[in-house]
Amino acid sequence: MDIFLDYLWAFIIGGAFCVVAQVLIDKTKLSPARILVLYVSLGVVLTAIGLYEPLVRLAGAGATTPLTGFGYAIANGVKKAVDEKGLLGALTGGIEATAGGITAAICFSLIMSLFSSSKPKR
């Protein structure tokens, strides 16, 4: 039963992030790119003030997979690097913490570009 609740919370929290983003797209003039930046920044801010960690413990991948989770990873990487390397860690920690995800996104994008062709938007 515990695993069912874990999946349920991941679905609810992750789905709530998606619903909020969709409402922002539908009801405001914010572009998807601005919403992306808003979500990543929100993840950093919520991590900095200590509100995102309890959400991660509750929802797991439902909180770490969306864009706010990317901000959470950046903030935690910076925090850890600053503790280890001092002020220089503020510049390198976020990149080190998210390098694997960024590399995977680039590699998968390259692979997909080999099997598809772009079409101009009309």
Side-chain angles (χ1 to χ4, degrees):
M1 188 66 174
D2 286 338
I3 195 159
F4 174 75
L5 288 176
D6 291 343
Y7 288 143
L8 181 65
W9 277 116
F11 178 78
I12 289 170
I13 299 300
F17 283 131
C18 293
V19 166
V20 170
Q22 190 63 51
V23 168
L24 288 172
I25 290 171
D26 292 343
K27 302 293 183 186
T28 68
K29 293 184 187 273
L30 290 173
S31 67
R34 289 179 187 223
I35 294 169
L36 178 147
V37 171
L38 176 70
Y39 266 41
V40 172
S41 300
L42 186 64
V44 170
V45 170
L46 290 175
T47 301
I49 61 176
L51 295 178
Y52 206 78
E53 187 65 37
L55 192 61
V56 169
R57 282 196 300 272
L58 174 67
T64 58
T65 303
L67 291 167
T68 49
F70 186 69
Y72 167 75
I74 290 171
N76 278 334
V78 168
K79 214 182 317 183
K80 180 181 174 191
V82 167
D83 290 342
E84 293 172 0
K85 300 175 188 172
L87 190 57
L88 182 62
L91 301 173
T92 61
I95 300 296
E96 289 177 11
T98 58
I102 293 169
T103 303
I106 291 170
C107 290
F108 292 136
S109 298
L110 175 64
I111 291 168
M112 289 307 296
S113 73
L114 297 174
F115 296 106
S116 62
S117 60
S118 63
K119 297 174 186 143
K121 194 173 184 179
R122 296 177 186 197

